[in-house]
Amino acid sequence: MTAPTEATAPATVRPLSAGAAAYLLVLRNLMVFRTQWKLFVTGFLEPVLYLFSIGVGVGVLVDGFEVAGQEVSYAAFVAPGMLAASAFNGALMDSTYRVFFKLKYDKLYDQVLATPMSTADVARGEIAWGQLRGGTYSAAFLVVMLAMGLLESWWALLALPAALLIGFAMSAVCMAATTYMKSWQDFDKITLVQLPLFLFSATFFPVDTYPASIRWLVEATPLYRGVVLCRELTLGAPTWASLVSVAYLLVLGAIGLVVVRRRLDTLLLT
Amino acid sequence: MADLTFADGVGRQVDYWLTVWKRTWRSSVVTSFISPLFYVVAMGVLLGGFVDADPAELEGATSYLAFVVPGLIAAHAMQTAVGETTWPVMGMIKWHKVYDSMLATPLEVQHVVGAHLGAVIVRLAATCGVFTVVLVPFGVYESWWGPVLAFGSQVLCGTAFAMVVYGFSTRSKSEEVFNVVFRLGVLPMFLFSGAFFPIANLGDAGAAVARLTPLWHGVNLSRMFALDHVTWWVAGVNVAVLLALCAVGWAWSVSGLRKRLVS
């Protein structure tokens, strides 16, 4: 065979940089969401409603708790829990139901992979989008907390990156889990994990409510790490031990990301 | 073609709904029983341990658990009812077109609506019934007849929601609106209609708004019976409101489906 002449040579495909690829996928999500702005706006309401109901309504009946040596009102105790739980829930919804739909019904990723984008780009792009959305909600929620006088120190500024970290870790792990899903029935298992994490991760009451035999289990769950991290920051009481939570979530997210990429390779490229 | 009576028309679909139930009950176990039980343990038992149980502040309840349980079951009946009459109804109309095939037989619109809503009510009764029984060992009931009447209130509450929302679903073109219904209707009611805390905590204006929501009528009724702390005229109002919603919802559902699929 002769070497192709210049006229028939395939146009060289310039590989996209990781950033450019993620940007394109985020842009695609943004365009889709423009038609569903009601969903976007109302998504922010959920944690705020929980805060007002449980924090304020039920809070009247509860005396408040002692956290790191200071007495805090029940609302101030619950609010950071809601911030973390909302980052967790949002990431979970985006990276399970939506991703499953795109993977199985829309065949979106098959189309994406027909372009110069790779499976790693898909993982990074989807997670980046989830972070953008979740980050908007978290920032708005922090403003609500500020207006209600529930932020105790400047450390609270770091609660936003903390919420993003929770979102990142959960997105990666949940997306990895989604790649193993076969039908909508499997999503019952997601609820079965999500709801106990939401309710029992020291979101609504302190972890010392549990007997020691269960307590270690709660302390080892990712949402618990996120909740205490946010609480330490909004109450202005971070310690060196907070870094354990940060490292835990970073490692969890990194593992999730690797699994997602491998699984997408098997599902879509073989 | 001889016209079917209502009972006949509904009766002919019993085997259909029985088959659906047989194939799907497993996946409903999680949402029907396990999820609300998590709420009871987290909110009622664990958080409740921190609540000063003053019956004067808790509408007559001697513990937060006893206060929250009847409200939670009524709220759960609402969620089940709305869940069963939104996406599934749209599926029957738009995606699977099961209603079309049913209406191609001698069945009429009111029979189809009656059988579907009947199936929802059976499911509500099963869910609320199991729940009520499971909670007996928690010692939250004050008398033997209280939980029975409370159970009736919860099913009535769920039925009212099912009938109204069914009517709404027959008129919805796209399922996207259901997410908004959940976020702007179901969730705020779940959180603010007295299931978790006495509506008196909302202040006078807030309590007045809460009393306007259908869920409050169900929660209040269910709680008064469970705690054996009944103000009979209020109970009468609660029942009347829920029954009125059922009646309006029924008419709205039948006319909605008729407009959508027949005329």
Side-chain angles (χ1 to χ4, degrees):
Chain A
M1 229 166 81
T2 54
T5 59
E6 206 159 285
T8 58
T12 46
V13 178
R14 205 157 34 88
L16 289 162
S17 71
Y23 171 78
L24 280 175
L25 206 62
V26 167
L27 203 64
R28 188 257 169 203
N29 277 315
L30 202 64
M31 284 163 77
V32 172
F33 244 74
R34 271 213 308 233
T35 57
Q36 301 175 351
W37 62 271
K38 286 192 201 102
L39 272 182
F40 191 91
V41 174
T42 53
F44 153 74
L45 280 175
E46 212 165 296
V48 178
L49 291 175
Y50 267 94
L51 176 62
F52 277 105
S53 171
I54 309 293
V56 182
V58 179
V60 175
L61 308 166
V62 182
D63 286 334
F65 294 115
E66 200 184 291
V67 179
Q70 51 176 327
E71 195 68 34
V72 298
S73 74
Y74 186 59
F77 178 85
V78 165
M82 293 297 100
L83 174 70
S86 139
F88 162 78
N89 277 331
L92 185 135
M93 296 302 274
D94 266 342
S95 53
T96 53
Y97 295 91
R98 283 173 193 281
V99 166
F100 185 71
F101 194 83
K102 289 174 183 169
L103 197 61
K104 197 117 178 163
Y105 296 91
D106 272 357
K107 309 265 180 221
L108 175 75
Y109 303 131
D110 290 295
Q111 301 163 30
V112 168
L113 294 177
T115 71
M117 284 162 99
S118 70
T119 46
D121 293 329
V122 168
R124 284 191 288 255
E126 286 293 358
I127 289 168
W129 160 247
Q131 292 288 73
L132 207 62
R133 179 166 131 99
T136 319
Y137 293 160
S138 300
F141 189 76
L142 279 166
V143 171
V144 173
M145 283 179 71
L146 182 68
M148 290 173 72
L150 298 176
L151 298 181
E152 306 278 335
S153 87
W154 285 100
W155 282 106
L157 282 175
L158 286 181
L160 182 60
L164 287 171
L165 181 60
I166 298 168
F168 159 68
M170 292 326 295
S171 293
V173 170
C174 292
M175 205 166 152
T178 303
T179 59
Y180 289 97
M181 301 274 164
K182 294 210 162 53
S183 77
W184 292 109
Q185 264 68 44
D186 287 335
F187 281 84
D188 285 340
K189 292 170 195 128
I190 297 247
T191 315
L192 217 49
V193 176
Q194 173 190 23
L195 196 63
L197 282 181
F198 172 57
L199 291 171
F200 298 111
S201 293
T203 24
F204 297 106
F205 39 81
V207 71
D208 40 34
T209 312
Y210 300 105
S213 53
I214 300 180
R215 187 178 159 162
W216 71 268
L217 181 70
V218 175
E219 287 182 337
T221 59
L223 182 55
Y224 174 78
R225 307 274 28 134
V227 169
V228 287
L229 184 60
C230 288
R231 191 168 285 144
E232 286 161 347
L233 291 168
T234 61
L235 296 176
T239 59
W240 286 107
S242 310
L243 290 175
V244 175
S245 301
V246 174
Y248 178 110
L249 292 168
L250 277 175
V251 171
L252 192 68
I255 295 174
L257 216 51
V258 173
V259 176
V260 172
R261 190 186 166 175
R262 285 225 189 113
R263 285 287 301 162
L264 287 180
D265 280 347
T266 346
L267 287 176
L268 300 174
L269 296 179
T270 51
Chain B
M1 187 164 59
D3 283 345
L4 288 169
T5 64
F6 183 72
D8 253 348
V10 171
R12 287 187 182 191
Q13 297 166 74
V14 169
D15 58 344
Y16 170 78
W17 286 104
L18 218 57
T19 312
V20 171
W21 172 278
K22 267 187 210 151
R23 288 187 188 165
T24 56
W25 68 272
R26 274 181 204 85
S27 70
S28 68
V29 167
V30 173
T31 46
S32 296
F33 307 117
I34 300 177
S35 310
L37 211 57
F38 280 143
Y39 267 96
V40 169
V41 174
M43 298 313 213
V45 180
L46 295 171
L47 179 60
F50 296 100
V51 174
D52 300 321
D54 178 1
E57 265 184 69
L58 288 178
E59 300 182 357
T62 50
S63 71
Y64 183 67
L65 180 65
F67 171 85
V68 87
V69 158
L72 272 183
I73 308 183
H76 182 59
M78 164 186 75
Q79 284 170 311
T80 307
V82 178
E84 291 291 315
T85 50
T86 43
W87 285 277
V89 169
M90 179 148 295
M92 299 284 264
I93 294 174
K94 188 169 145 182
W95 301 317
H96 316 307
K97 306 210 186 282
V98 176
Y99 284 159
D100 279 317
S101 59
M102 287 174 164
L103 291 172
T105 71
L107 291 174
E108 286 168 41
V109 171
Q110 67 271 24
H111 306 148
V112 169
V113 178
H116 193 148
L117 284 171
V120 174
I121 293 169
V122 169
R123 168 135 193 225
L124 285 172
T127 308
C128 297
V130 171
F131 222 114
T132 304
V133 172
V134 165
L135 289 168
V136 169
F138 285 78
V140 293
Y141 301 118
E142 297 291 328
S143 64
W144 68 266
W145 54 268
V148 177
L149 288 181
F151 162 75
S153 324
Q154 292 144 11
V155 175
L156 177 63
C157 173
T159 305
F161 274 98
M163 297 209 169
V164 172
V165 173
Y166 191 107
F168 174 79
S169 298
T170 57
R171 289 167 172 82
S172 306
K173 297 282 175 254
S174 153
E175 74 281 2
E176 273 156 34
V177 64
F178 296 149
N179 284 317
V180 178
V181 167
F182 264 88
R183 284 203 177 136
L184 299 184
V186 173
L187 185 69
M189 273 197 261
F190 176 59
L191 291 172
F192 295 100
S193 290
F196 288 106
F197 57 88
I199 53 169
N201 293 4
L202 291 170
D204 288 343
V209 174
R211 277 192 199 93
L212 292 178
T213 62
L215 182 59
W216 176 78
H217 292 275
V219 166
N220 192 51
L221 200 58
S222 156
R223 181 174 296 136
M224 286 197 299
F225 289 138
L227 298 177
D228 192 11
H229 205 78
V230 188
T231 313
W232 286 100
W233 74 267
V234 178
V237 172
N238 293 155
V239 172
V241 167
L242 293 172
L243 284 177
L245 281 173
C246 288
V248 172
W250 170 257
W252 206 44
S253 298
V254 173
S255 71
L257 195 64
R258 179 165 291 132
K259 264 186 222 151
R260 183 77 175 260
L261 291 181
V262 180
S263 54

